[in-house]
Amino acid sequence: FFLSPVIFLSQTVLIMNVAKSGYRVFSANSTPACTELSKKITERLGVELGKSVVYQESNRETRVEIKESVRGQTIFIIQTIPRDVNTAIMELLIMAYALKTSCAKNIIGVIPYFPYSKQCKMRKRGSIVCKLLASMLAKAGLTHIITMDLHQKEIQGFFTFPVDNLRASPFLVQYIQEEIPDYRNAIIVAKSPSAAKRAQSFAERLRLGLAVMHGEAQCSESDMADGRHSPPCVRNTFGHPGLELPLMMAKEKPPITVVGDVGGRIAIIVDDIIDDVEDFVATAEILKERGAYKIYVMATHGLLSADAPRLIEESAIDEVVVTNTVPHEVQKLQCPKIKTVDVSMILAEAIRRIHNGESMAYLFRNITVDD
């Protein structure tokens, strides 16, 4: 029996392709501090990080070089967002496009903290930057995104491909149960009415009470998110003579008060992002005045910009607990009150399930719609 060279070569190529099929995990960060989460995820998966080089040239342009073949493979790009947000976005876009032009089968972005997520509503005469970023990622070649605790769940509608919005709340709830002594004497606090649903979800799972801070500082986010925000306070004398619009009355915010009893309790403030900490510090001061004897702050994404570590250290806050979706090792050195919860386990499991075509429902068990 004689096997022609053409058939033999075709079968050999087929066997090689089957052997090489699978998935690879790449890190798109150019700074070593941002690759820690990538290393933890790959260790849990039992794979090595893909070979690539990401760096900034002398003129600050980003260059990405893929050092191995990715043809026909499913690629996961892990991108944590440091303080230099725009550079991180360009690294992700350029790496995704490089993988696309290298004939990768699927390109899945693992972006634990999705940048520009607060710019998801129209403010004054601005723009919805989050929608722009979603379009850019799709154009660069991404076919799927894994993220965690989007600032608004409606952001998923900006994308033309699937988005898995994982939750960090099970890890934070576990931290409360294991690391806070006498947590049964605690009360969950929402620092604004807009955060009440998230706080209620925590309170129900921990079987604890709920308190809400009522009254907001001027120029808060919710105050800016109501359209163009520029109606005149007097009747307009111009335009059609027969048209008279109702008079727009300015909003008057009440002084900040606490709805709920926090006296003699441990106060646990929950939110999705802690960046500028002035609101959290002010909330902690009021809770202290109302009798709370210990104050914790729980958040998924610890951006901790500007003087956040110093303000936390000097405040009435006893502990700030965040996950490692954003690198914050420098801030931890500046403020011992900052603690970290590792979420690499759920990100690694999401990667494994997506690659194997398994259901993601297990990762959302006991997760409410408002969480």
Side-chain angles (χ1 to χ4, degrees):
F1 177 77
F2 175 75
L3 186 64
S4 70
V6 176
I7 298 176
F8 179 79
L9 181 60
S10 300
Q11 291 180 343
T12 304
V13 171
L14 179 61
I15 294 172
M16 290 176 63
N17 287 338
V18 171
K20 290 182 178 180
S21 65
Y23 73 98
R24 299 306 306 267
V25 180
F26 286 83
S27 175
N29 288 112
S30 59
T31 54
C34 296
T35 59
E36 291 301 318
L37 181 60
S38 303
K39 292 178 181 177
K40 289 183 178 181
I41 292 174
T42 52
E43 285 176 4
R44 290 184 179 276
L45 290 170
V47 300
E48 295 182 356
L49 272 175
K51 298 176 183 178
S52 64
V53 178
V54 183
Y55 62 95
Q56 311 298 319
E57 294 186 340
S58 57
N59 62 356
R60 301 302 298 164
E61 288 186 358
T62 300
R63 185 174 292 273
V64 175
E65 298 176 4
I66 308 298
K67 296 295 187 178
E68 60 181 289
S69 174
V70 295
R71 184 178 296 273
Q73 295 192 11
T74 297
I75 305 298
F76 293 86
I77 308 175
I78 302 174
Q79 179 68 321
T80 52
I81 307 298
R83 289 190 175 186
D84 191 356
V85 177
N86 295 328
T87 298
I89 291 172
M90 286 306 300
E91 290 171 348
L92 176 60
L93 291 171
I94 294 173
M95 175 167 278
Y97 191 67
L99 292 166
K100 177 183 177 181
T101 55
S102 298
C103 300
K105 182 180 179 181
N106 294 304
I107 304 171
I108 301 171
V110 183
I111 314 171
Y113 167 65
F114 194 80
Y116 288 98
S117 59
K118 284 192 173 183
Q119 298 190 44
C120 61
K121 297 179 181 180
M122 181 65 73
R123 300 181 186 177
K124 293 189 177 180
R125 295 174 180 85
S127 60
I128 304 176
V129 183
C130 195
K131 167 62 176 174
L132 172 63
L133 182 55
S135 301
M136 292 167 63
L137 292 173
K139 194 68 175 178
L142 265 67
T143 58
H144 194 146
I145 277 183
I146 303 170
T147 187
M148 181 168 283
D149 281 335
L150 287 169
H151 186 58
Q152 297 289 341
K153 298 176 183 63
E154 292 78 9
I155 291 174
Q156 297 175 79
F158 293 160
F159 294 87
T160 57
F161 49 76
V163 176
D164 285 309
N165 182 27
L166 304 177
R167 307 293 198 275
S169 56
F171 296 89
L172 297 176
V173 168
Q174 183 181 17
Y175 184 94
I176 293 172
Q177 293 173 328
E178 296 179 356
E179 302 296 333
I180 298 181
D182 196 22
Y183 82 92
R184 293 290 184 185
N185 189 37
I187 186 169
I188 305 298
V189 180
K191 72 178 182 68
S192 66
S194 61
K197 287 185 177 181
R198 180 184 297 272
Q200 181 181 357
S201 175
F202 274 74
E204 290 175 350
R205 274 184 281 179
L206 291 165
R207 310 294 193 271
L208 299 176
L210 176 67
V212 180
M213 306 296 295
H214 179 58
E216 297 172 309
Q218 299 295 323
C219 299
S220 66
E221 181 188 346
S222 60
D223 193 32
M224 300 292 290
D226 54 355
R228 297 303 193 272
H229 197 65
S230 58
C233 294
V234 296
R235 294 185 184 275
N236 192 351
T237 57
F238 303 100
H240 195 278
L243 179 64
E244 288 198 7
L245 298 176
L247 182 65
M248 298 294 291
M249 301 299 294
K251 292 190 293 184
E252 291 186 7
K253 295 182 179 180
I256 297 179
T257 57
V258 183
V259 181
D261 182 16
V262 298
R265 312 285 286 277
I266 300 172
I268 303 176
I269 307 170
V270 298
D271 212 338
D272 61 330
I273 299 172
I274 176 169
D275 189 4
D276 298 324
V277 299
E278 285 85 354
D279 289 347
F280 292 93
V281 171
T283 301
E285 292 292 339
I286 295 172
L287 293 173
K288 207 76 171 179
E289 292 173 2
R290 296 299 178 91
Y293 70 90
K294 207 163 187 181
I295 299 170
Y296 291 81
V297 175
M298 299 275 175
T300 302
H301 310 296
L303 305 186
L304 303 169
S305 302
D307 293 331
R310 179 182 61 82
L311 294 174
I312 293 171
E313 188 66 25
E314 297 172 356
S315 72
I317 298 173
D318 293 282
E319 195 168 285
V320 173
V321 182
V322 294
T323 71
N324 56 344
T325 56
V326 178
H328 52 265
E329 294 303 318
V330 175
Q331 291 90 327
K332 287 180 69 176
L333 294 175
Q334 297 172 350
C335 178
K337 292 182 179 180
I338 301 173
K339 308 297 180 183
T340 306
V341 175
D342 182 23
V343 292
S344 62
M345 177 191 302
I346 192 170
L347 293 170
E349 181 64 13
I351 291 174
R352 189 192 68 79
R353 285 176 174 270
I354 288 174
H355 170 65
N356 293 333
E358 299 177 19
S359 172
M360 298 285 284
Y362 179 77
L363 303 182
F364 295 94
R365 69 193 189 284
N366 300 326
I367 298 295
T368 62
V369 175
D370 297 326
D371 194 355

